[in-house]
């Protein structure tokens, strides 16, 4: 029953998001259409009237059609997996997404994995050993990264390592002199271009994972079954992996699932700073060039990913932890 | 007042945070009266290093960076304070209604909060910023607040729920005191400390978001805002790639980080001040 209720709430949220993006675009200031229509008229050298028609078709919006029909058409497109069209790039949003997703997923999954593993291990050590050299380091890192917005970290790293030291390139996902494919120069180029964004995300995430793990490990250490395991004279290693690790990892795993979902949104600002052509960069472009079709499509995609991830995290949590299976 | 000073003095980190925030406050209120913002362009003096006449160097058209930081602080802080006030007003309103009313209204409101918390807020702010003309601090603050009150509303609701069961509220009810009295005289004063601590962290987040949005070139209503400075330095004038322009770039960055750090430090002290149980 719980599962059905959760799925129900997720579906409702998704419907609300669909409605929201629809309403936003529906209430779009009138001159936006004119701007887009002028742009199309110039690009394709057609009359203004024709361009206006095209602009309306692109954003799934025609003021002469009843509201409900408009909404069903819009939602129908989404259900068929059609995210709409981009005005600026003159392409279906689906095609842009297909180009952008690999970059965002590459950078974010690598950094998420690294910061999760290092952070969780550090948190575990901090809880088990108490008062190690790690504590002050992790506390400092986490309050500093809490204070510095990610885009500022990105800017600083770029100025230091890309502009001044020239260790890494400043923009793009790979060097235009390499041929995309499975060859060494291309792979090295991709690594070099991805290194700084990856490092930014690792820095931003590490402290959080460490503190989360430390907190839950400390509370698990106070449980009776740990004391019982110790009293039975079990090996330290066994207590750490089987008793402490498994139980303390629960909140981290759920948070990881949620972060994986949030990942698809990318970070608009970090990707824009590095001109890294992932979903976030395209979203930034869409927003600054008032490309409502692209904005709408990408936002819907992001929201769907986040909602699905939250639902999954809920389900994972209730599967892993039998205590919360029965009630809220 | 005396106790607060004593607690601040014993907690050097909180004191440092307080001094930083106070410094920013003074900078934003008095600063613009002391220093003139010179908008004149002077290409001969572009990207200068700090000197006596230009404490933080000059920007891409030779304007004084220090003056821009000072005028920017007024801009940034006004927006952040307004955003925090709006966020708290909406959050307390929704949370209190939800906690007090209960029943279907509570369920509906909490569903709304759920939606607000799930849907990613920054992209949504960007969309809204691109659709409506944001031309003054009030509308900018509204933009920042409109999707940020979810967590606060939820926390206020649960505090109200637990307060509702306490003896002094029961007593007030039994005494037949009017609902308004119970809400404004009994319930709200009890959550004020919580709100005070949140005020600073909401301001910090509002600054991060507002500067970020401006850095993307949206909402360009003020040219000396730190976010606008970053936008010009990073995306417009190529100052990022000019080694001699490093101070122009570092000035807004340092200002943002310093404020954030001050906020974090001070919030710790405030925590201790408002919550006697934390005092050792």
């Amino acid at each position: 029953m719980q599962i059905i209720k959760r799925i129900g709430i997720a579906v409702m949220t998704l419907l609300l998001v669909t409605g929201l993006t629809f309403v936003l675009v529906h209430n779009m200031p009138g001159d936006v259409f004119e701007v887009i229509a002028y742009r199309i008229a110039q690009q394709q050298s057609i009359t203004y009237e024709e361009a206006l028609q095209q602009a309306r078709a692109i954003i799934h919006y025609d003021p002469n059609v009843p509201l409900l029909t408009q909404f069903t058409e819009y939602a129908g497109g989404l259900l068929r997996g059609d995210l709409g069209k981009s005005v600026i790039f003159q392409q279906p949003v689906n095609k842009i997404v297909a180009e952008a997703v690999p970059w965002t997923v590459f950078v974010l999954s690598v950094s998420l994995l690294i910061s999760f593993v290092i952070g969780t291990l550090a948190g575990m050590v901090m809880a088990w050993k108490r008062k190690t050299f790690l504590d002050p380091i992790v506390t400092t890192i986490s309050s500093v990264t809490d204070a510095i917005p990610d885009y500022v970290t990105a800017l600083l790293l770029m100025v230091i390592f890309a502009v001044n030291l020239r260790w890494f390139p400043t923009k793009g996902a790979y060097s235009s002199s390499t041929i995309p494919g499975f060859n060494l120069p291309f792979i090295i180029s991709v690594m070099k271009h991805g290194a700084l964004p990856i490092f930014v995300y690792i820095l931003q995430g590490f402290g959080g994972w460490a503190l989360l793990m430390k907190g839950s490990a400390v509370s698990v250490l106070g449980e009776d079954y740990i004391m019982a395991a110790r009293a039975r004279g079990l090996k330290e290693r066994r207590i750490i992996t089987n008793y402490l690790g498994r139980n303390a990892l629960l909140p981290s795993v759920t948070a990881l699932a949620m972060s994986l979902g949030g990942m698809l949104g990318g970070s608009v600002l970090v990707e824009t700073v590095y001109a890294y052509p992932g979903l976030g960069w395209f979203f930034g472009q869409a927003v600054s060039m008032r490309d409502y079709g692209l904005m709408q499509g990408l936002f819907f995609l992001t929201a769907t990913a986040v909602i699905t991830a939250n639902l999954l995290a809920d389900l994972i949590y209730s599967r892993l932890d039998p205590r919360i299976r029965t009630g809220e | 007042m005396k106790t607060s000073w004593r607690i601040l003095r014993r907690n050097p980190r909180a004191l440092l945070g307080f001094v930083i925030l106070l410094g920013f406050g003074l900078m934003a209120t008095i600063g613009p009266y002391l220093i003139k913002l010179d908008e004149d362009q002077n290409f001969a003096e572009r990207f200068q290093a700090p000197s006596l006449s230009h404490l933080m160097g000059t920007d891409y058209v030779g304007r004084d960076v220090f003056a821009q930081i000072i005028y920017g602080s007024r801009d940034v802080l006004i927006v952040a304070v307004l955003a925090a006030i709006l966020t708290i007003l909406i959050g307390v309103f929704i949370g209190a209604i939800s906690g007090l009313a209960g029943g279907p209204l509570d369920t509906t409101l909490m569903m709304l909060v759920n939606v607000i918390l799930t849907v990613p807020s920054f992209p949504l702010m960007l969309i809204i910023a691109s659709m409506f003309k944001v031309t003054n601090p009030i509308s900018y603050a509204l933009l920042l607040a409109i999707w940020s009150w979810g967590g606060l509303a939820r926390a206020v609701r649960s505090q109200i729920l637990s307060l509702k069961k306490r003896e002094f509220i029961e007593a007030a009810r039994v005494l037949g005191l009017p609902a308004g009295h119970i809400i404004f005289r009994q319930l709200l004063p009890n959550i004020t400390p919580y709100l005070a601590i949140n005020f600073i962290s909401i301001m910090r987040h509002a600054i991060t978001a507002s500067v970020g949005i401006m850095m993307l070139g949206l909402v360009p209503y003020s040219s000396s805002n730190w976010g606008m400075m970053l936008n010009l330095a990073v995306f417009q004038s190529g100052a990022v790639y000019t080694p001699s322009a490093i101070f122009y770039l570092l000035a807004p960055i340092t200002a943002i980080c310093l404020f954030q750090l001050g906020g974090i430090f001070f919030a710790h002290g405030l925590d201790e001040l408002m919550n006697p149980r934390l005092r050792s």
Side-chain angles (χ1 to χ4, degrees):
Chain A
M1 264 327 277
Q2 273 300 314
I3 294 180
I4 296 174
K5 194 181 156 199
R6 290 227 168 90
I7 294 177
I9 291 178
V11 170
M12 266 191 47
T13 315
L14 203 59
L15 273 176
L16 275 171
V17 169
T18 319
L20 189 77
T21 45
F22 174 76
V23 168
L24 273 180
V25 171
H26 187 82
N27 288 333
M28 188 160 54
D31 57 357
V32 170
F33 279 111
E34 289 167 25
V35 173
I36 296 171
Y38 272 123
R39 197 179 287 143
I40 295 176
Q42 273 178 358
Q43 277 170 355
Q44 306 180 355
S45 55
I46 49 178
T47 64
Y48 176 73
E49 286 304 313
E50 280 172 332
L52 196 62
Q53 284 300 319
Q54 221 172 329
R56 281 178 183 152
I58 284 169
I59 318 179
H60 299 296
Y61 177 69
D62 184 347
N64 304 321
V65 175
L67 206 62
L68 198 64
T69 324
Q70 283 178 43
F71 183 70
T72 44
E73 265 177 33
Y74 168 64
L78 289 177
L79 277 180
R80 286 190 299 275
D82 177 10
L83 291 171
K85 273 197 197 115
S86 157
V87 185
I88 307 289
F89 296 95
Q90 296 283 343
Q91 272 177 346
V93 174
N94 291 30
K95 212 175 153 207
I96 293 176
V97 167
E99 271 172 41
V101 158
W103 297 120
T104 298
V105 168
F106 161 64
V107 166
L108 278 159
S109 55
V110 169
S111 53
L112 200 56
L113 203 71
I114 297 177
S115 65
F116 178 79
V117 170
I118 304 179
T120 305
L121 284 177
M124 188 93 145
V125 172
M126 273 165 28
W128 182 252
K129 298 270 190 206
R130 298 289 163 95
K131 298 230 158 110
T132 56
F133 69 100
L134 274 175
D135 282 80
I137 297 179
V138 171
T139 326
T140 314
I141 291 184
S142 67
S143 46
V144 168
T145 48
D146 191 24
I148 305 179
D150 55 359
Y151 56 87
V152 169
T153 316
L155 273 176
L156 285 174
L157 290 182
M158 180 159 97
V159 169
I160 298 170
F161 294 109
V163 176
N164 284 305
L165 292 173
R166 290 172 191 278
W167 290 354
F168 299 102
T170 53
K171 52 176 72 167
Y174 58 89
S175 157
S176 54
S177 60
T178 56
I179 308 137
F182 197 72
N183 57 64
L184 200 60
F186 177 70
I187 292 172
I188 291 175
S189 174
V190 166
M191 296 285 184
K192 273 193 150 177
H193 281 79
L196 284 182
I198 287 176
F199 196 55
V200 172
Y201 294 127
I202 293 179
L203 269 182
Q204 290 291 328
F206 166 78
W209 294 119
L211 290 187
L212 181 65
M213 185 62 186
K214 185 194 169 191
S216 91
V218 164
S219 74
V220 168
L221 276 174
E223 295 279 347
D224 290 339
Y225 54 78
I226 297 283
M227 208 199 287
R230 271 189 179 145
R232 276 184 290 153
L234 294 181
K235 288 233 168 55
E236 205 172 73
R237 173 179 290 260
R238 178 128 184 247
I239 300 178
I240 291 179
T241 49
N242 283 13
Y243 291 75
L244 175 61
R246 275 201 186 181
N247 291 296
L249 211 53
L250 280 176
S252 300
V253 170
T254 338
L256 183 68
M258 283 201 228
S259 308
L260 281 170
M263 188 166 95
L264 266 196
S267 167
V268 178
L269 288 164
V270 173
E271 285 187 4
T272 306
V273 165
Y274 290 111
Y276 200 81
L279 290 168
W281 182 80
F282 275 105
F283 194 81
Q285 293 294 307
V287 168
S288 53
M289 297 198 273
R290 307 290 193 271
D291 185 341
Y292 289 96
L294 185 56
M295 233 187 275
Q296 195 181 36
L298 289 180
F299 184 70
F300 180 79
L301 181 76
T302 311
T304 313
V306 172
I307 293 167
T308 319
N310 280 4
L311 180 66
L312 277 180
D314 263 358
L315 299 183
I316 293 173
Y317 201 70
S318 58
R319 280 218 71 76
L320 287 180
D321 191 347
R323 276 166 298 187
I324 57 161
R325 223 174 264 167
T326 39
E328 283 261 16
Chain B
M1 208 44 217
K2 240 181 173 171
T3 33
S4 26
W5 174 243
R6 215 179 49 232
I7 287 164
L8 261 185
R9 223 178 34 191
R10 258 192 326 196
N11 187 339
R13 214 156 64 129
L15 186 64
L16 178 66
F18 179 70
V19 170
I20 293 176
L21 294 187
L22 192 69
F24 274 104
L26 289 177
M27 185 161 126
T29 44
I30 307 175
Y33 295 110
L34 302 179
I35 287 183
K36 215 174 116 271
L37 183 67
D38 194 359
E39 297 272 13
D40 286 346
Q41 308 193 344
N42 186 354
F43 277 90
E45 289 187 4
R46 73 200 298 253
F47 294 147
Q48 277 190 358
S51 63
L52 272 181
S53 51
H54 300 292
L55 283 175
M56 290 180 186
T58 56
D59 72 353
Y60 66 104
V61 283
R63 292 173 299 198
D64 187 42
V65 173
F66 185 58
Q68 290 184 32
I69 290 286
I70 290 193
Y71 278 78
S73 73
R74 167 172 281 190
D75 252 44
V76 170
L77 289 194
I78 285 180
V79 169
V81 167
L82 285 175
I85 293 175
L86 281 172
T87 309
I88 285 186
L89 280 181
I90 306 174
V92 168
F93 183 71
I94 301 279
I97 287 189
S98 197
L100 288 171
L105 185 58
D106 179 31
T107 320
T108 321
L109 285 177
M110 280 305 111
M111 219 123 139
L112 181 68
V113 166
N114 230 333
V115 173
I116 297 244
L117 288 176
T118 332
V119 177
S121 63
F122 192 70
L124 196 74
M125 282 181 200
L126 290 181
I127 293 185
I128 300 175
S130 76
M131 313 209 52
F132 299 97
K133 282 211 171 69
V134 178
T135 49
N136 55 53
I138 296 175
S139 47
Y140 200 15
L142 195 63
L143 164 72
L144 293 167
I146 202 153
W147 212 257
S148 313
W149 50 268
L152 189 73
R154 190 180 264 181
V156 167
R157 171 181 175 267
S158 64
Q159 294 217 359
I160 297 260
L161 283 183
S162 93
L163 280 174
K164 246 171 47 173
K165 297 198 190 87
R166 300 270 182 85
E167 279 108 2
F168 66 94
I169 300 291
E170 300 267 344
R173 271 223 194 107
V174 174
L175 282 173
L177 294 175
H181 178 90
I182 296 180
I183 294 172
F184 290 104
R185 284 297 171 81
Q186 315 270 353
L187 287 173
L188 286 183
N190 270 292
I191 56 171
T192 318
Y194 177 78
L195 296 180
I197 293 166
N198 261 272
F199 192 86
I200 292 187
S201 83
I202 296 174
M203 259 183 84
R204 287 204 300 116
H205 290 125
I207 288 184
T208 305
S210 71
V211 172
I213 292 174
M214 275 211 173
M215 187 174 103
L216 281 177
L218 291 155
V219 199
Y221 71 84
S222 156
S223 64
S224 59
N225 185 298
W226 299 340
M228 213 49 220
M229 290 176 72
L230 281 177
N231 175 262
L232 293 171
V234 177
F235 300 115
Q236 314 274 346
S237 67
V240 194
Y241 308 108
T242 317
S244 60
I246 187 80
F247 295 100
Y248 171 39
L249 186 68
L250 281 183
I253 285 182
T254 317
I256 297 164
C257 296
L258 208 58
F259 184 90
Q260 302 276 346
L261 220 54
I264 291 178
F265 285 172
F266 184 59
H268 282 298
L270 213 56
D271 226 4
E272 200 182 331
L273 182 73
M274 302 286 190
N275 195 346
R277 267 157 293 181
L278 284 178
R279 290 178 207 163
S280 50

